[in-house]
Structures are given as structure tokens and as C-alpha cells.
């Protein structure tokens, strides 16, 4: 990644990127990011990644239906997350839907928006592990182009308020 961050330059404002997925803890990341944004006068970019498997050409019609359903589900998830952010901090987050590999899509969104200053994820506190994105990123985080904040999934609103 060679794109220089410009978050705090004149004419820019810092943003944090939040992944809105199907895990139960996405709300903790949205809560933290929204509180952070309102406190520093920044913004939030919410990303929903649709993982599309290779489509067999003979089933193209079915693949199109599956893609349309995935888009509808992505928009519904982003609607819920945006409503949550607005209720927390009276902000309207940017919404991005991407298809493909989650790591590649996160990096591309970060590369294209020079104002994104950090990635906020939330970790599942349960015995099944921290969650698919955190697990996937464990090897890449050392060379990630921006800071990554991982919010424990069992923090309450009051506890997050004290940190953000």
C-alpha cells in the first residue's frame, strides 16, 4: 500500500472503517466507531463484503438471483448499522458494498479513501474464537496500512463510552 493517509490535512476529516458482517459483535465495532467519530469530528465508513463463490456459467441465472439476494441482505445489514450509528452519535455513515475476498476488499477500500485512519473490528468473547475476520487478519495485521482497533465483544455501552 503506497497511498499516503491524509486524514488530518486541511480539507479532509479522519474516518474509521467498520466491517458490518453477520457476527453478533458487529454492533460493538459500530458503537465504538460512532463514539470515536463524534468525539473527534470524524466519519465512519461501513463496509459489507459479499463473498461470491466461483459461478458456473450454466447456472448463470441462479448466480444472478443469488447475487441480487446477497445485495439485498447487504443493504439491510447496512441499514441496521447506519441506524445504530445515527442513534449513537447522530451521524450518517458512508456505506460500501463489495464482492470478493474480505482482505483484498478492505485493503482496496482503504487504498481508495485517503481519509480512512483506522479499522475497527469487534471480537467474539466466546470460546469459538474472535470471529472470522479477526482470525483471517491475524497474520496480516503486522503489515496492515492503518491501525487496527479490536473492541472486545462483551464490553457494554458504558465501558465503550469510557474508552472512546
Amino acid at each position: 500500500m503506497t497511498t499516503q493517509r491524509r486524514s488530518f490535512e486541511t480539507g479532509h476529516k479522519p474516518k474509521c472503517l467498520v466491517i458490518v458482517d453477520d457476527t453478533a459483535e458487529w454492533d460493538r465495532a459500530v458503537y465504538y466507531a460512532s463514539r470515536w467519530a463524534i468525539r473527534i469530528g470524524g466519519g465512519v465508513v461501513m463496509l459489507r463484503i459479499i463473498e461470491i463463490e466461483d459461478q458456473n456459467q450454466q447456472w448463470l441465472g441462479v448466480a444472478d438471483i443469488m447475487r441480487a439476494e446477497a445485495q439485498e441482505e447487504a443493504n439491510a445489514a447496512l441499514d441496521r448499522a447506519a441506524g445504530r450509528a445515527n442513534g449513537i452519535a447522530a451521524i450518517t455513515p458512508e456505506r460500501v458494498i463489495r464482492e470478493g475476498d474480505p482482505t483484498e476488499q478492505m485493503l482496496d477500500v482503504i487504498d481508495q479513501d485517503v481519509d480512512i485512519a483506522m479499522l475497527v473490528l469487534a471480537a467474539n468473547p466466546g470460546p469459538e474464537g474472535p470471529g472470522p475476520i479477526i482470525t483471517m487478519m491475524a497474520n496480516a495485521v503486522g503489515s496492515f496500512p492503518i491501525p487496527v482497533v479490536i473492541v472486545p465483544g462483551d464490553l457494554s455501552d458504558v465501558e465503550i463510552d469510557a474508552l472512546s
Side-chain angles (χ1 to χ4, degrees), residues 8 18 59-60 90 112 132 136 138:
F8 291 96
V18 177
W59 298 104
L60 193 55
Q112 290 184 12
M136 176 184 57

Side-chain angles (χ1 to χ4, degrees), residues 76-159:
L78 289 173
D79 286 346
R80 286 189 301 277
R84 180 74 167 128
N86 188 276
I88 294 163
I91 61 172
T92 302
E94 296 175 39
R95 301 161 47 122
V96 179
I97 298 174
R98 292 291 190 89
E99 292 181 12
D101 176 72
T103 302
E104 289 175 13
Q105 296 307 316
M106 281 187 282
L107 289 170
D108 191 52
V109 168
I110 292 165
D111 193 44
Q112 290 184 12
D113 189 338
V114 296
D115 291 339
I116 295 176
M118 74 173 159
L119 171 65
V120 178
L121 302 170
N124 178 358
E128 56 276 352
I133 296 205
I134 294 174
T135 300
M136 176 184 57
M137 289 191 58
N139 293 327
V141 76
S143 61
F144 213 68
I146 58 175
V148 177
V149 174
I150 300 176
V151 180
D154 59 356
L155 290 182
S156 70
D157 290 355
V158 171
E159 291 169 319

